[in-house]
Amino acid sequence: MLNDPNAAFVSPLAFGDSIRGTPVVGVTASLVDHLSDGLAEGRLFLSRQEAVIGSASPLSVGQKFRPAHGVHSQDAPEDDDHDAGGHAHAETHDITLTVVGRMKPTGSPWDRAVTIPVEVVWDAHGLPSGHPEGSTQIGAPFDPARTPGIPAAVVHSRTVASAYKLRQAYTTNDSMGFFPAEALIQLYSVVGDVRQLMSILAVITQALVLLAIVSSVLILLRLLMPQFVTLRALGAPRLYVFAAAWGFMAALVLVGVAIGLVGGYALSFGISLWLSNRTGIALTPSLGEAEILIGLSILAIGLVLALVPASRLQRRPLAEAIAKY
């Protein structure tokens, strides 16, 4: 499989190690170049002592590190297995690698990963390295007799036709070949259904919010009614009182919509940042046309509804208003 002539390249994936809470993944240099489409800094690894980091990795080019077994929130320093208090850190491999390159942002979990030659991961776990014993070669071609079991591999085809041939060839009782795009389409269909449900809930929520705004304005207007009645008693024109009452309520609705848009954008940005840190998938929130139209619709409805109490206020006879308030 790793030497299949129908593939542009085949990269096995070897997991199980980490550095400072980020995964260390054994791959081939071809996969790193394919993912990044050229590096943002440095070069690809050329030996078993080198590594390439993702765009969001806490490491830096030129830094040396030792990968640790498993995934931990904090790994041991490069030159010590204990911290200043004498507490043991995660067990590290007896290998030191140097970061020689950094990938461009991919918007995927690869941005937080550290990629190293797959042979290093195999050798560190006591497995054959895919090459003759004593060899320092990395990458294809691999020796089938010296290649350990592969849990997963990325296969990049040369043509669309060869992609289907490769999937058919590796879909057996012991293995599964699939197109990531097909899996994503199924995921998007599920997410799309959830989005429709959330859209309906959002509309209902917006209606409730608008009702709450109008109710709050009416209550506030009732509390300020004596002031408006006083204006009429002092000889203020009906149109002036109407404009003052309507303008007051319109200003409250306008401020509420503005705070809602800005606050919602800030909240979505914070949630996206949290999800990006948790999943490694880059999410970029934006204040789009749909959100602005919703805000303008709520503002327009609020301005129209504000006409009702304002009109009622200036139409009520002055004597009746003074007697009541």
Side-chain angles (χ1 to χ4, degrees), residues 94-300:
D94 190 22
I95 53 175
T96 300
L97 298 101
T98 303
V99 178
V100 297
R102 181 184 294 274
M103 290 193 290
K104 298 176 182 177
T106 64
S108 70
W110 288 104
D111 289 342
R112 299 176 59 246
V114 177
T115 59
I116 63 177
V118 67
E119 294 84 355
V120 178
V121 179
W122 288 340
D123 186 64
H125 292 86
L127 300 172
S129 65
H131 304 289
E133 189 171 354
S135 172
T136 59
Q137 176 187 345
I138 63 171
F142 292 92
D143 183 359
R146 295 283 304 168
T147 301
I150 302 172
V154 176
V155 182
H156 183 58
S157 62
R158 302 180 186 278
T159 63
V160 175
S162 61
Y164 282 94
K165 291 181 180 179
L166 288 168
R167 184 178 68 169
Q168 182 177 4
Y170 298 122
T171 301
T172 67
N173 293 332
D174 301 321
S175 62
M176 179 178 64
F178 67 93
F179 297 142
E182 289 183 349
L184 288 175
I185 289 174
Q186 296 177 1
L187 175 62
Y188 290 156
S189 65
V190 175
V191 173
D193 294 338
V194 175
R195 181 181 180 184
Q196 291 180 358
L197 176 60
M198 295 301 294
S199 298
I200 295 175
L201 293 177
V203 172
I204 296 175
T205 302
Q206 291 161 9
L208 292 175
V209 169
L210 184 59
L211 180 62
I213 292 175
V214 173
S215 300
S216 301
V217 169
L218 291 177
I219 294 173
L220 186 58
L221 183 62
R222 186 176 182 84
L223 294 176
L224 296 177
M225 191 65 71
Q227 283 82 354
F228 289 113
V229 172
T230 302
L231 285 176
R232 289 189 58 189
L234 293 175
R238 288 177 178 266
L239 183 60
Y240 175 82
V241 176
F242 170 83
W246 181 84
F248 172 74
M249 290 180 286
L252 289 180
V253 174
L254 178 61
V255 171
V257 170
I259 293 177
L261 287 174
V262 175
Y265 175 75
L267 181 61
S268 63
F269 187 85
I271 294 175
S272 299
L273 183 61
W274 178 78
L275 288 175
S276 297
N277 292 333
R278 295 281 295 182
T279 65
I281 300 176
L283 301 173
T284 305
S286 61
L287 195 60
E289 181 179 348
E291 290 78 15
I292 295 177
L293 286 177
I294 290 175
L296 292 177
S297 299
I298 294 177
L299 177 61

